Amino acid sequence: MAEQEASGLQVLLHTLQSSSDKESILTILKVLGDLLSVGTDRRIHYMISKGGSEALLQTLVDTARTAPPDYDILLPLFRLLAKVGLRDKKIGRKALELEALDVTLILARKNLSHGQNLLHCLWALRVFASSVSMGAMLGINGAMELLFKVITPYTRKRTQAIRAATEVLAALLKSKSNGRRAVNRGYVTSLLGLHQDWHSHDTANAYVQIRRGLLLCLRHIAALRSGREAFLAAQGMEILFSTTQNCLDDKSMEPVISVMLQILRQCYPKSPLPLVTASSAYAFPVPGLITTEPPHDLPEEDFEDDGDDEVDKDSDTEDGKVEDDDLETDVNKLSSKPGLDRPEEELMQYEAMCLELSYSFEELQSKLGDDLNSEKAQYANHHHIPAAASSKQHCYSKDQSSCGQEREYAVQTSLLCRVKTGRSTVHLGSKKNPGVNLYQNVQSNSFRRDSSESEIPDVQASLKADAWDVDAIFCPRMSASFSNSTRTREAVKVIDKLLQTHLKHVPFHDPYLYMAKARRTSSVVDFKMMAFPDVWGHCPPPTTQPMLERKCGVQRIRIFEDIRRLIQPSDVINKVVFSLDEPWPLQDDASNCLQFFSKFESGNLRKAIQVREFEYDLLVNADVNSTQHQQWFYFKVSGMQAATPYHFNIINCEKPNSQFNYGMQPTLYSVKEALLGKPTWLRTGHEICYYKNHYRQSTAVAGGASGKCYYTLTFAVTFPHNEDVCYLAYHYPYTYTALMTHLDILEKSVNLKEVYFRQDVLCQTLGGNPCPLVTITAMPESNSDEHLEQFRHRPYQVITARVHPGESNASWVMKGTLEFLVSGDPVARLLRENFIFKIIPMLNPDGVINGNHRCSLSGEDLNRQWLSPSAHLQPTIYHAKGLLYHLSSVGRSPVVFCDFHGHSQKKNVFLYGCSIKETLWQAACTVGTSTILEEVNYRTLPKILDKLAPAFTMNSCSFLVEKSRASTARVVVWREMGVSRSYTMESSYCGCNQGPYQGLQFGTRELEEMGAMFCLGLLILELKSASCSHQLLAQAATLLSAEEEALDQHLQRCSSSSGSVPSELEDEPACMEEIDYSTDSSSDQEGSLSELDRRIQECAFNKVEGEEEEEAPGQGGEAIP
């Protein structure tokens, strides 16, 4: 049957080319038209494969060369040719070879006064010009001059032909040679004039597509440097800016406004960032490394540009499928296990970090007691430190503030009742008003005190008094160099008074201990101050905050404000008010501007420039010893007015997109609110968007490569109080000192008879800070050999976090893990009795301390150093890997290895794992995967978490091994230590788009809950394993019965994964107004081919424009040579 259809089609096509009978040709064209007008495009592609395009083109040439050309044949032939040509990517080349390109151009010239014939010729030219190289050929043959004869100033006649001509011209101008030709012939000025004329006369917006076509022509010309120069010289910025101001709110003008925005951004003169150097403001002399002179940004002429001399190329290919070259397809690399990267005798040093394997119980108890009485003895005089005997301050006490009660519920109440069954303890915020500020109405009720606050003095008055300079007095680090000064002694008195009168208990936090620990924290720059939120502490807000609903138009408003600065600079202040690069004071307390500060632990703000009274450009610092990784920010701001929106523009972000475009907000901490009993980091900000700006890195700084683009994060903040001191951060900060304080308090909170909690120092960092290693398990029941044997043979679980300093969410997840493991929860007790947890809660202390986003002090991403780490340059990675090597060498490889991370471009929480087969399948590798043996147990834990944790989703998990990830912890531990369950757990900075938390942003409570849920997942994983002991199963069964069988469905050892997992969706839909400023973007759908197809079909059934002029006598009557 198929052969008959093929032979029938081939007969039709052969007859079409060979017949000279008009009726036969028209009949065949009608049959082909009817055949291709129904069904899918498969029919058209089938016809193309049988030589259909060539047959139509040959018929066109033959008909055009008859005297006179028969337009009764040519018009339906053009329509059919355009329909087929839209699907034939080689149509332009075929038209050139069969001389149909020249024939069509000649027919168009002969029909300039006959709109219907001209329209059909233009449709064909539009299809031919879809190939850039064919467009260049048409340009050489004078097509652009012809089109400018068709594109006239505003008229209501022949508008279909004018629209088609603008679309053809836009297609031709994709060619760089045509673009240069257009610039040389002054077409930029002509196009701007035509645009102004049509814009001013088309008041009813009836011809928006013509105006858009003219703008697309300008956009392609502006892809060239010479085109941008001509555009600027013709006052193009001013013209387009002024024409948009009265139509921004008109939705019918959307096609025009979007292209105008792209042109304006494209032609905005590129410039370097307003920094003295692209390198970090902080430098650390790494021993053994030669430091070079920091690169300086150069003048604008140095910027890599568009390559005007580039040869025209076709961007389209027949096969749109691009193989993922990053997937590792070398089976040997995937499956081989390399040898040790160090001498075996070096592993002996890690025995001291695994004392639980060798010491007797008495020795363990003695050693534990010695550790507890060493460093902590220095702080014994501080009654503020929670201790096991303290009922007032202990974090498990029942007589606590509301925050303490919430924490007690989170720890004391079994985790089993908080799984993904709709019974989460999270208080949901209202989704009806996602932009609500939890600080709103603070001023009206801030002094309503309950009985517990009756003795608190007037905070408002106190903060205004010189003696209560919270900004300057509260947070000195009291380093040895000035600890004896009079000012410091006075500061301590003020601190004591503040703590005694205003402090609200924050579980597992103590300000005195924090300040003592901060003295020992070593930073590249000797920070003299501590940030108030870090000292005072943070309690989660009472409600979970919804994602911010993005208002349409917010991005273009900010872009137009950028353009206004360029063309109307009269109101721009442009005053530097803070800079790490300039040592002299830049701020006057009496001046009418905000005061900024960032020289404290984890702080990051390099420069602040006042643009207008309530608007500031901010630049964040690159990572130490680096020129990149600008994302994390954390800074103090003061001197604000309440109820006044302040706009902040962080102008040197690096990532091409961000969750700030999809509902995420930065975080804010108010000192006044904290003193009023609300010590809370809150999501804040409105009018938030993230977009590409006009700043570029020079080619010199980029090492000769094309200078990278920068992006702007802009947001507005309305502060809750006048003259407050507030802190703004990318995400909830969690400092190294906070971790060290937390670990000490945790150690003091545990029952030493039940919980084995040990702190070791894994190593010293480059910056001289100890990297903590924590061991948590249960103490043996007794000194008996049986119990000691069980104690020493518990399997290991290894968890790490915070290798990337800017991923503070990983620390909050880790905080939840640590607190849960030492808690009295029955699940935690079972975990301790059956596992030994080795935890490195912060792999990059130096990066965290110094406000880095991704790197260590050596300027390296430590999670790309696991293959062959250096003890000298990457000590934390070297010794973490050494510890894992040691465990493996004594036959104690961990059941699970997991590295906690944060993710900036996805929502939810998910795992990355490793699988040989899945990687090879995804890469369509020809190697027979049937010969590779691989257990699928690596999928069990994520499936469990998908059922348990409200924030977790299996849909975002991936088990592919990429070449670019070969040196990460996940891949190295999987490959070199043979840990099949080796994971990276990613937590979104933003929130969830599925499950109970759908539409909500993560708070610290949800992140800590995820840490606890991860632990519960480890227990369920063990219960589902074939090696699970009968004793543990019995204990779990008892626990389930006591908890109303809340997890019964998860403990079916043969249960499958959830059966109703939705199909995997794209992480994010396209932002409603996301703009790509590159010239090769296909997102603009310029002269959309599907739209052209629709217009051609309509023309086949309807009469074309009725107002066209009649054909002149003898017009078109001559044959084409």
Side-chain angles (χ1 to χ4, degrees):
M1 189 65 164
E3 291 179 0
Q4 292 177 355
E5 290 179 359
S7 62
L9 178 61
Q10 288 171 336
V11 168
L12 282 175
L13 294 176
H14 181 267
T15 305
L16 180 64
Q17 294 180 80
S18 60
S19 176
S20 58
D21 180 62
K22 178 177 180 179
E23 293 302 322
S24 299
I25 294 175
L26 289 174
T27 300
I28 294 173
L29 291 176
K30 186 177 187 309
V31 169
L32 291 174
D34 292 343
L35 182 67
L36 301 182
S37 63
V38 295
T40 65
D41 284 355
R42 291 181 62 184
R43 292 187 176 186
I44 300 177
H45 288 294
Y46 181 72
M47 178 177 165
I48 293 169
S49 69
K50 297 301 179 182
S53 298
E54 289 87 343
L56 295 175
L57 289 168
Q58 189 61 58
T59 305
L60 168 63
V61 172
D62 293 341
T63 305
R65 286 176 174 169
T66 60
D70 192 336
Y71 285 92
D72 289 340
I73 295 176
L74 285 174
L75 296 189
L77 182 58
F78 271 131
R79 290 195 294 269
L80 190 59
L81 185 59
K83 187 178 185 68
V84 173
L86 291 174
R87 281 86 177 171
D88 188 349
K89 293 184 178 181
K90 295 184 178 180
I91 188 67
R93 178 66 57 186
K94 294 174 182 177
L96 177 66
E97 292 172 353
L98 293 172
E99 300 182 2
L101 213 62
D102 291 337
V103 165
T104 306
L105 203 55
I106 293 171
L107 286 174
R109 288 195 181 99
K110 288 179 174 293
N111 286 279
L112 285 175
S113 59
H114 194 292
Q116 186 174 5
N117 295 351
L118 176 62
L119 178 61
H120 284 71
C121 294
L122 292 172
W123 282 341
L125 289 173
R126 172 67 185 87
V127 172
F128 298 157
S130 58
S131 164
V132 176
S133 56
M134 292 305 102
M137 186 67 68
L138 286 168
I140 293 172
N141 292 336
M144 289 197 296
E145 293 84 345
L146 168 66
L147 294 171
F148 269 102
K149 293 178 181 178
V150 181
I151 305 171
T152 63
Y154 177 79
T155 178
R156 298 177 63 183
K157 295 183 177 182
R158 304 175 55 181
T159 53
Q160 284 200 42
I162 294 173
R163 175 181 175 180
T166 61
E167 291 173 357
V168 177
L169 182 59
L172 295 180
L173 289 169
K174 286 185 177 181
S175 158
K176 291 184 181 296
S177 59
N178 285 340
R180 287 190 292 272
R181 193 174 291 113
V183 172
N184 295 335
R185 295 179 181 178
Y187 289 167
V188 172
T189 303
S190 301
L191 287 167
L192 281 169
L194 287 167
H195 164 72
Q196 282 183 290
D197 186 69
W198 279 89
H199 181 81
S200 61
H201 288 92
D202 184 24
T203 54
N205 295 334
Y207 305 114
V208 168
Q209 293 301 327
I210 293 177
R211 292 152 66 184
R212 183 173 185 269
L214 293 168
L215 290 169
L216 286 171
C217 296
L218 285 169
R219 182 189 156 180
H220 289 310
I221 294 174
L224 302 172
R225 178 168 50 198
S226 56
R228 292 192 292 274
E229 291 171 353
F231 180 82
L232 292 172
Q235 303 295 305
M237 295 290 285
E238 291 80 358
I239 291 171
L240 293 194
F241 182 80
S242 62
T243 54
T244 57
Q245 297 310 297
N246 58 355
C247 58
L248 282 176
D249 298 327
D250 189 340
K251 291 186 177 181
S252 67
M253 287 289 291
E254 185 65 27
V256 170
I257 295 172
S258 62
V259 181
M260 276 199 283
L261 273 173
Q262 294 176 30
I263 298 170
L264 289 170
R265 294 302 295 161
Q266 213 169 5
C267 295
Y268 198 117
K270 306 301 181 287
S271 61
L273 290 168
L275 293 173
V276 295
T277 173
S279 297
S280 172
Y282 300 148
F284 178 78
V286 180
L289 287 185
I290 301 175
T291 57
T292 58
E293 184 181 352
H296 291 263
D297 273 336
L298 300 180
E300 185 181 344
E301 295 77 34
D302 176 62
F303 291 105
E304 179 72 13
D305 221 301
D306 47 70
D308 281 8
D309 56 347
E310 185 178 335
V311 177
D312 290 318
K313 298 176 184 177
D314 287 334
S315 58
D316 52 273
T317 58
E318 272 197 82
D319 187 5
K321 181 181 177 182
V322 179
E323 184 178 354
D324 190 351
D325 292 330
D326 192 34
L327 292 177
E328 181 58 78
T329 56
D330 187 330
V331 179
N332 291 328
K333 289 184 178 179
L334 287 171
S335 56
S336 64
K337 186 176 180 180
L340 286 174
D341 64 357
R342 65 198 75 193
E344 190 171 352
E345 54 269 20
E346 274 195 25
L347 301 184
M348 300 292 292
Q349 63 182 303
Y350 302 106
E351 290 182 359
M353 301 178 193
C354 301
L355 297 180
E356 62 277 2
L357 295 179
S358 57
Y359 277 28
S360 68
F361 177 65
E362 291 84 355
E363 290 172 320
L364 284 169
Q365 195 174 41
S366 173
K367 182 69 177 175
L368 187 63
D370 292 343
D371 290 342
L372 286 174
N373 293 325
S374 57
E375 180 181 324
K376 287 75 179 182
Q378 302 174 54
Y379 315 125
N381 60 329
H382 292 309
H383 65 278
H384 303 273
I385 301 176
S390 173
S391 60
K392 292 183 180 180
Q393 295 292 334
H394 196 274
C395 45
Y396 299 122
S397 169
K398 295 183 180 180
D399 299 324
Q400 292 288 355
S401 63
S402 59
C403 180
Q405 291 169 356
E406 290 170 10
R407 173 56 58 194
E408 185 200 357
Y409 178 78
V411 175
Q412 292 283 343
T413 305
S414 175
L415 189 69
L416 298 179
C417 70
R418 294 190 284 135
V419 297
K420 192 187 279 185
T421 57
R423 290 179 286 174
S424 172
T425 60
V426 168
H427 304 281
L428 304 183
S430 170
K431 294 185 182 181
K432 295 181 180 179
N433 186 15
V436 65
N437 186 346
L438 294 183
Y439 284 145
Q440 68 182 357
N441 300 323
V442 160
Q443 288 174 292
S444 61
N445 61 14
S446 58
F447 301 110
R448 297 177 187 172
R449 308 184 188 90
D450 57 29
S451 57
S452 65
E453 297 175 323
S454 58
E455 297 181 2
I456 296 178
D458 188 329
V459 179
Q460 196 85 6
S462 298
L463 289 175
K464 290 182 178 179
D466 292 339
W468 292 86
D469 184 357
V470 177
D471 184 27
I473 295 181
F474 180 76
C475 303
R477 282 187 60 182
M478 298 180 292
S479 64
S481 60
F482 63 101
S483 58
N484 295 322
S485 67
T486 303
R487 179 174 174 80
T488 301
R489 289 194 294 271
E490 293 175 354
V492 172
K493 293 180 182 178
V494 173
I495 292 169
D496 279 328
K497 188 171 182 180
L498 277 173
L499 291 173
Q500 291 168 15
T501 57
H502 293 75
L503 182 63
K504 174 170 179 163
H505 173 67
V506 176
F508 294 104
H509 182 75
D510 178 70
Y512 284 95
L513 181 57
Y514 186 97
M515 290 186 285
K517 288 286 183 183
R519 271 193 320 209
R520 297 172 170 232
T521 299
S522 176
S523 56
V524 172
V525 176
D526 186 18
F527 297 138
K528 304 297 184 185
M529 305 294 291
M530 291 177 286
F532 184 99
D534 301 328
V535 177
W536 201 259
H538 156 79
C539 282
T543 61
T544 302
Q545 295 178 258
M547 293 181 195
L548 182 69
E549 184 176 349
R550 181 187 175 103
K551 294 182 180 178
C552 184
V554 62
Q555 179 169 288
R556 63 186 46 180
I557 289 172
R558 299 312 305 168
I559 291 174
F560 276 121
E561 284 300 314
D562 289 348
I563 296 164
R564 188 190 302 276
R565 282 201 223 176
L566 176 69
I567 62 179
Q568 298 175 2
S570 57
D571 64 337
V572 176
I573 300 173
N574 206 33
K575 175 186 176 184
V576 177
V577 295
F578 173 78
S579 176
L580 295 179
D581 301 303
E582 301 172 50
W584 56 87
L586 296 171
Q587 293 179 314
D588 179 5
D589 292 339
S591 64
N592 186 25
C593 67
L594 297 176
Q595 285 86 49
F596 295 86
F597 190 75
S598 65
K599 294 181 73 171
F600 48 79
E601 186 175 350
S602 292
N604 190 319
L605 178 68
R606 182 169 186 170
K607 193 171 188 176
I609 304 168
Q610 186 177 21
V611 179
R612 297 185 179 92
E613 184 178 4
F614 302 111
E615 182 177 2
Y616 295 82
D617 280 354
L618 308 178
L619 294 103
V620 294
N621 198 16
D623 285 2
V624 176
N625 286 348
S626 171
T627 61
Q628 53 187 341
H629 306 301
Q630 295 100 315
Q631 182 169 324
W632 170 258
F633 60 86
Y634 180 20
F635 59 88
K636 179 184 69 65
V637 60
S638 58
M640 67 284 293
Q641 301 176 22
T644 300
Y646 287 84
H647 281 91
F648 299 100
N649 312 309
I650 300 177
I651 62 175
N652 63 332
C653 302
E654 288 186 318
K655 295 203 171 185
N657 204 352
S658 168
Q659 282 293 315
F660 283 116
N661 271 337
Y662 307 104
M664 178 177 160
Q665 296 171 283
T667 58
L668 179 140
Y669 190 105
S670 164
V671 171
K672 284 192 177 183
E673 285 294 307
L675 296 179
L676 292 167
K678 300 175 185 176
T680 302
W681 281 101
L682 289 176
R683 302 276 191 168
T684 192
H686 54 280
E687 298 181 25
I688 299 176
C689 62
Y690 187 97
Y691 60 92
K692 187 189 293 185
N693 59 38
H694 64 279
Y695 293 107
R696 298 290 183 273
Q697 189 181 73
S698 72
T699 54
V701 174
S706 178
K708 70 180 178 184
C709 305
Y710 290 102
Y711 297 80
T712 292
L713 164 63
T714 179
F715 57 93
V717 175
T718 303
F719 294 101
H721 298 284
N722 279 319
E723 298 299 325
D724 197 358
V725 177
C726 292
Y727 292 79
L728 286 164
Y730 182 87
H731 194 71
Y732 308 101
Y734 191 96
T735 65
Y736 169 76
T737 302
L739 170 67
M740 302 304 285
T741 304
H742 187 226
L743 292 179
D744 273 14
I745 294 174
L746 277 180
E747 189 166 1
K748 284 183 172 292
S749 72
V750 301
N751 184 339
L752 300 181
K753 294 181 179 180
E754 296 181 1
V755 181
Y756 175 71
F757 184 103
R758 177 182 178 82
Q759 287 191 67
D760 287 292
V761 175
L762 178 70
C763 62
Q764 294 290 322
T765 67
L766 279 178
N769 294 289
C771 178
L773 168 67
V774 178
T775 305
I776 299 175
T777 188
M779 294 292 283
E781 292 184 33
S782 70
N783 292 341
S784 69
D785 291 341
E786 178 185 356
H787 288 152
L788 287 178
E789 188 72 9
Q790 189 276 341
F791 174 80
R792 291 171 182 151
H793 283 83
R794 294 170 187 167
Y796 278 88
Q797 309 279 9
V798 176
I799 308 173
T800 62
R802 207 69 186 277
V803 70
H804 294 146
E807 295 168 6
S808 60
N809 42 359
S811 281
W812 288 101
V813 175
M814 177 59 77
K815 182 175 185 288
T817 295
L818 289 166
E819 289 180 12
F820 178 74
L821 286 176
V822 302
S823 73
D825 189 286
V827 172
R829 189 178 301 113
L830 279 179
L831 284 166
R832 291 194 300 267
E833 290 170 355
N834 289 276
F835 296 105
I836 300 172
F837 288 86
K838 286 290 183 185
I839 298 174
I840 308 174
M842 193 170 283
L843 277 167
N844 193 348
D846 292 340
V848 173
I849 292 165
N850 294 285
N852 284 6
H853 174 66
R854 197 165 183 88
C855 297
S856 66
L857 293 186
S858 62
E860 299 170 304
D861 181 345
L862 291 182
N863 202 35
R864 297 295 185 274
Q865 308 300 324
W866 279 77
L867 271 178
S868 53
S870 161
H872 175 64
L873 294 177
Q874 304 102 23
T876 61
I877 304 304
Y878 182 85
H879 291 291
K881 187 177 182 181
L883 176 62
L884 286 160
Y885 267 143
H886 171 68
L887 292 177
S888 179
S889 69
V890 297
R892 306 299 297 277
S893 289
V895 178
V896 169
F897 170 83
C898 192
D899 189 20
F900 291 173
H901 282 252
H903 206 289
S904 67
Q905 298 196 50
K906 286 188 175 182
K907 290 185 171 68
N908 310 307
V909 180
F910 49 94
L911 287 176
Y912 291 137
C914 301
S915 165
I916 298 176
K917 285 192 172 183
E918 291 196 34
T919 303
L920 295 176
W921 287 335
Q922 180 67 29
C925 185
T926 56
V927 176
T929 55
S930 59
T931 61
I932 299 174
L933 297 178
E934 182 179 55
E935 296 183 11
V936 294
N937 58 10
Y938 60 87
R939 278 184 165 266
T940 308
L941 181 59
K943 287 181 179 179
I944 291 170
L945 292 174
D946 187 56
K947 295 177 180 179
L948 295 178
F952 193 92
T953 176
M954 184 72 181
N955 282 344
S956 295
C957 295
S958 173
F959 305 95
L960 305 179
V961 181
E962 303 96 336
K963 297 173 186 175
S964 60
R965 304 292 192 275
S967 56
T968 61
R970 163 178 63 98
V971 176
V972 170
V973 173
W974 168 74
R975 183 168 169 245
E976 297 190 18
M977 283 76 173
V979 180
S980 61
R981 297 186 181 100
S982 178
Y983 304 107
T984 297
M985 188 165 81
E986 300 276 1
S987 301
S988 173
Y989 286 109
C990 182
C992 282
N993 59 7
Q994 56 80 44
Y997 298 159
Q998 184 173 4
L1000 300 175
Q1001 297 184 81
F1002 284 145
T1004 55
R1005 182 190 285 111
E1006 291 72 52
L1007 294 170
E1008 291 181 51
E1009 179 189 70
M1010 186 63 234
M1013 288 293 178
F1014 179 80
C1015 297
L1016 176 56
L1018 295 178
L1019 178 63
I1020 306 301
L1021 178 67
E1022 177 65 16
L1023 294 174
K1024 290 168 72 70
S1025 70
S1027 60
C1028 182
S1029 68
H1030 294 292
Q1031 180 182 3
L1032 178 56
L1033 283 173
Q1035 291 173 317
T1038 303
L1039 175 59
L1040 286 177
S1041 177
E1043 295 295 335
E1044 302 176 354
E1045 301 185 351
L1047 278 182
D1048 190 37
Q1049 58 174 320
H1050 304 298
L1051 297 178
Q1052 302 302 318
R1053 298 182 63 185
C1054 298
S1055 65
S1056 60
S1057 61
S1058 54
S1060 59
V1061 178
S1063 59
E1064 187 164 357
L1065 303 175
E1066 290 294 327
D1067 177 59
E1068 291 296 345
C1071 181
M1072 67 180 74
E1073 50 182 325
E1074 193 171 352
I1075 293 177
D1076 183 1
Y1077 304 113
S1078 62
T1079 58
D1080 57 354
S1081 170
S1082 59
S1083 62
D1084 53 28
Q1085 298 180 353
E1086 47 196 74
S1088 167
L1089 296 184
S1090 59
E1091 169 66 12
L1092 177 58
D1093 197 8
R1094 182 189 64 78
R1095 283 152 49 200
I1096 292 170
Q1097 278 190 301
E1098 285 182 358
C1099 183
F1101 297 102
N1102 300 292
K1103 188 176 180 180
V1104 188
E1105 298 170 285
E1107 70 278 356
E1108 294 172 0
E1109 297 177 17
E1110 291 294 325
E1111 182 178 355
Q1115 187 255 334
E1118 297 180 5
I1120 296 175

